[in-house]
Amino acid sequence: MFDEIQFEKINRLPKYLFAEINDLKMDLRRKGHDIIDFSMGNPDADTPQPIIDKLCEVANRSKTHGYSASKGIYKLRLAMSDWYKRKYGVDLDPDTEIVATMGSKEGYVHLVQAISNPGDVAIVPDPTYPIHSQAFILAGANVEKMHLVFNEETFEVDEERFLSDLEEALDNSVPQAKFLVVNFPHNPTTATVTPQFYERLVALAKEKRFYIISDIAYADITFDGYRTPSIMEVPGAKEVAVEAYTMSKSYNMAGWRVGFVVGNKKLIGALQAIKSWLDYGMFTPIQVAATVALNEHHDVPDRQIIPLYEKRRDVMIKAFTNAGWPLAKPNASMFIWGKIPEVASEMGSLEFSKQLLLHAGVAVSPGVGFGKYGDGYVRIALIENEKRIRQAAKNIRKFLKELEENK
């Protein structure tokens, strides 16, 4: 009898393609194989010691182990307000325009739960970080995918194409789309936009009456003079937009789960309300340590994080290209979006990722897991050290040579 009971919300979710790679990776490791793992954007370096020290200090204080505030303690929200002022010259009210969340992913999902009605439509570029679309599916809304077109050498978004495609999608959406998700620097492709893009996007949102949800998880990780713009820099953006930021990548604090959603008061109020029912906020010592990180150690990304990923990026591009797998150079994020080598192009991204894992001991994320326009590519995370990157290149050279010989 119980077999007949269906969970329709879960049934709406697609198959999780990354699970095949993860299962294969774990099976190989159990058998003793050394796997060089570029498959997940999980920073391998430690959180800076002063931030850890502050966590421990506060955890040892009395009265810090109880429930916290679901929207985050005031000083943490104030620190995020100061971060926006310092980085972007933007004023945000810590009480009404900022929520501290358990990582930006939790904040994003709960925001979508709070503001989506059954049958609402969200436009999400493809490829995309999976939760950007699946959060709406879980909320009973619908998703319209829009091909994200960008220059594959410079990773600059074709902004004219994006805006024209968006207008077409809005005109053809029934009911008209209520939300648009943007994520630049982009995960998985690393694509970037200019400040002028957001100016035009905000104007279009006001004209067509839709909300923008911007995710700048990789805002701090930029190279070669590129600076990540924020939609909040646009005058009037707070009328139509919210933006999510996380400390996971910028401060090597992925497991700490500290993020923020800022912007439009109506949307922020909805997120604050739903969180008040669902959680009691992060562990207070984590919030205090995060506050200190933002206020006293905001040079960490420039001093520690960017140089680490920039060096790894350069080493990987040179080593993999020399091994027969040419890669273009991104100017932001901790990933490389790699086109499948010509000799393996007929495999598709999932099969190529499996074969690369089996025969080269190298794990990457198949592009098709991020959407149909991601097939033909893989996402490579810069989470192994330079020695391991060079070893991966040697393994890949041998693998590609064997493929060539067997053709």
Side-chain angles (χ1 to χ4, degrees):
M1 182 180 71
F2 285 98
D3 291 341
E4 298 173 2
I5 297 174
Q6 296 294 314
F7 305 120
E8 294 302 329
K9 183 176 288 188
I10 298 301
N11 289 341
R12 292 188 73 198
L13 292 173
K15 182 179 180 182
Y16 191 65
L17 293 179
F18 302 118
E20 292 189 48
I21 299 299
N22 290 337
D23 290 346
L24 182 57
K25 179 174 64 180
M26 295 310 297
D27 182 60
L28 290 169
R29 280 181 168 157
R30 281 192 292 268
K31 292 176 180 176
H33 294 269
D34 176 33
I35 304 301
I36 303 173
D37 193 357
F38 303 117
S39 64
M40 186 177 180
N42 189 15
D44 62 310
D46 292 335
T47 303
Q49 193 60 46
I51 303 172
I52 298 173
D53 291 343
K54 178 57 67 172
L55 169 69
C56 296
E57 174 196 325
V58 179
N60 279 307
R61 294 178 191 167
S62 63
K63 300 181 181 179
T64 62
H65 297 172
Y67 294 131
S68 186
S70 61
K71 66 180 180 180
I73 61 174
Y74 176 77
K75 287 186 177 180
L76 178 56
R77 287 180 279 117
L78 180 61
M80 184 81 283
S81 175
D82 291 341
W83 182 90
Y84 263 93
K85 184 67 173 179
R86 194 166 55 238
K87 191 174 181 72
Y88 292 117
V90 172
D91 292 310
L92 291 167
D93 185 330
D95 285 320
T96 62
E97 295 176 334
I98 298 177
V99 180
T101 60
M102 298 175 188
S104 60
K105 189 173 184 179
E106 174 269 316
Y108 176 85
V109 172
H110 281 151
L111 173 70
V112 170
Q113 290 283 335
I115 65 179
S116 296
N117 300 320
D120 279 350
V121 175
I123 297 173
V124 181
D126 183 335
T128 187
Y129 182 53
I131 199 61
H132 284 160
S133 58
Q134 301 316 321
F136 286 99
I137 302 299
L138 286 167
N142 298 312
V143 173
E144 293 288 339
K145 294 292 185 70
M146 187 181 83
H147 186 194
L148 178 64
V149 180
F150 57 93
N151 185 307
E152 295 193 14
E153 292 299 320
T154 65
F155 294 98
E156 296 170 338
V157 169
D158 185 335
E159 297 178 6
E160 290 290 339
R161 171 75 178 271
F162 187 104
L163 291 164
S164 64
D165 286 352
L166 175 58
E167 286 205 60
E168 182 179 352
L170 288 166
D171 290 341
N172 293 332
S173 172
V174 180
Q176 181 176 309
K178 190 174 177 180
F179 307 104
L180 168 71
V181 179
V182 290
N183 165 218
F184 302 112
H186 188 248
N187 181 8
T189 70
T190 78
T192 57
V193 295
T194 65
Q196 292 72 33
F197 170 79
Y198 286 130
E199 292 173 6
R200 297 175 65 184
L201 192 59
V202 167
L204 185 62
K206 291 180 179 181
E207 176 191 343
K208 298 287 188 177
R209 298 181 62 80
F210 63 88
Y211 285 116
I212 303 162
I213 304 174
S214 170
D215 177 357
I216 56 168
Y218 301 93
D220 291 323
I221 306 176
T222 59
F223 317 113
D224 306 325
Y226 178 74
R227 171 188 176 275
T228 299
S230 164
I231 197 169
M232 292 298 143
E233 292 177 286
V234 180
K238 287 191 282 187
E239 296 173 31
V240 296
V242 291
E243 190 161 71
Y245 171 79
T246 174
M247 299 181 72
S248 293
K249 310 306 191 297
S250 301
Y251 293 84
N252 286 338
M253 292 172 63
W256 295 53
R257 311 312 302 131
V258 184
F260 303 88
V261 183
V262 311
N264 180 271
K265 290 182 180 181
K266 184 176 182 179
L267 301 190
I268 294 299
L271 176 55
Q272 289 178 346
I274 198 170
K275 281 180 64 64
S276 71
W277 284 96
L278 296 175
D279 69 68
Y280 289 105
M282 291 170 277
F283 185 40
T284 298
I286 287 177
Q287 296 192 63
V288 174
T291 301
V292 169
L294 289 168
N295 287 339
E296 300 178 19
H297 304 288
H298 46 79
D299 63 336
V300 163
D302 287 337
R303 183 166 47 83
Q304 295 184 31
I305 308 302
I306 292 173
L308 175 74
Y309 289 126
E310 184 172 28
K311 183 64 181 295
R312 290 179 179 182
R313 177 200 65 169
D314 294 345
V315 168
M316 180 175 285
I317 288 171
K318 181 178 180 181
F320 280 36
T321 299
N322 289 340
W325 187 358
L327 298 173
K329 182 184 287 188
N331 61 2
S333 90
M334 58 182 291
F335 302 113
I336 290 179
W337 185 241
K339 191 170 186 177
I340 294 174
E342 186 65 30
V343 68
S345 59
E346 295 179 0
M347 290 185 185
S349 61
L350 182 58
E351 184 60 26
F352 173 72
S353 298
K354 289 179 181 178
Q355 295 301 317
L356 188 68
L357 186 52
L358 285 168
H359 299 287
V362 174
V364 297
S365 293
V368 71
F370 300 98
K372 70 176 183 178
Y373 292 112
D375 208 7
Y377 301 82
V378 297
R379 192 194 70 177
I380 312 168
L382 299 169
I383 56 169
E384 294 269 16
N385 63 42
E386 294 158 36
K387 181 179 178 181
R388 298 279 283 172
I389 291 170
R390 292 189 178 97
Q391 182 59 54
K394 291 178 183 177
N395 297 358
I396 289 167
R397 179 194 294 274
K398 181 180 177 183
F399 168 59
L400 296 179
K401 185 177 180 181
E402 290 172 355
L403 285 181
E404 191 70 51
E405 290 172 351
N406 292 332
K407 270 209 161 188

